[in-house]
Amino acid sequence: MNWKSIFKLSFVLIICGMFSSLSFSAKSELEGYVGEDRTVISVKKVFDSVPTYPRNALRMGREGYVLIEFDVDTDGSVLDPYVVESEPTGVFERSAIKAVRKWLFSPPVYKDVSVKVNDVRARVSFALN
């Protein structure tokens, strides 16, 4: 192996090591509300898109979380996600929203009828291991 090959290989190993030390967490079963009486109903996530760790946060060694609220449609898709709270502010919101938009849930059913679930909240945590 020449020095260029060794450099490329070591660079790839360093990058792989960096990304394997990142972690993301969000619960797979969440709760929301159905109907005017705001009956609590659980929704189960069947597809989970992992958010991209922002480069700037990675470079600065920042960790944090984003609390997102959204609705789950009758087909299990996410509707209108928005940020309720985040720490630190302005760092992870965009990445969390992009990931949550791709999540899928089992189609919610209440009293044997397919329903839309409102005000589902998910906490998306970003951590460096």
Side-chain angles (χ1 to χ4, degrees):
M1 268 192 187
N2 63 23
W3 67 272
K4 285 183 181 179
S5 298
I6 293 170
F7 177 76
K8 285 180 186 176
L9 180 60
S10 59
F11 179 74
V12 168
L13 292 174
I14 288 169
I15 295 298
C16 289
M18 282 174 55
F19 287 108
S20 67
S21 68
L22 303 178
S23 71
F24 146 76
S25 66
K27 291 181 180 179
S28 63
E29 194 157 330
L30 304 168
E31 291 182 342
Y33 304 99
V34 174
E36 291 179 17
D37 61 350
R38 296 186 54 85
T39 303
V40 176
I41 185 173
S42 293
V43 288
K44 185 171 173 87
K45 199 179 332 168
V46 294
F47 177 76
D48 197 318
S49 178
V50 178
T52 304
Y53 212 98
R55 275 189 247 162
N56 194 29
L58 185 61
R59 192 174 338 133
M60 296 176 74
R62 286 191 144 174
E63 297 182 337
Y65 71 91
V66 180
L67 183 61
I68 298 179
E69 188 170 297
F70 54 91
D71 297 336
V72 176
D73 204 1
T74 56
D75 64 356
S77 61
V78 171
L79 297 173
D80 306 321
Y82 65 91
V83 174
V84 174
E85 178 182 315
S86 64
E87 182 63 39
T89 304
V91 178
F92 298 107
E93 292 93 332
R94 187 176 194 181
S95 179
I97 288 283
K98 282 178 78 173
V100 169
R101 280 189 178 131
K102 296 175 187 173
W103 290 359
L104 289 174
F105 292 84
S106 294
V109 175
Y110 179 68
K111 294 184 179 179
D112 297 326
V113 177
S114 183
V115 293
K116 177 182 165 192
V117 180
N118 300 309
D119 305 332
V120 177
R121 285 191 173 196
R123 181 180 169 123
V124 181
S125 298
F126 293 81
L128 299 167
N129 292 337

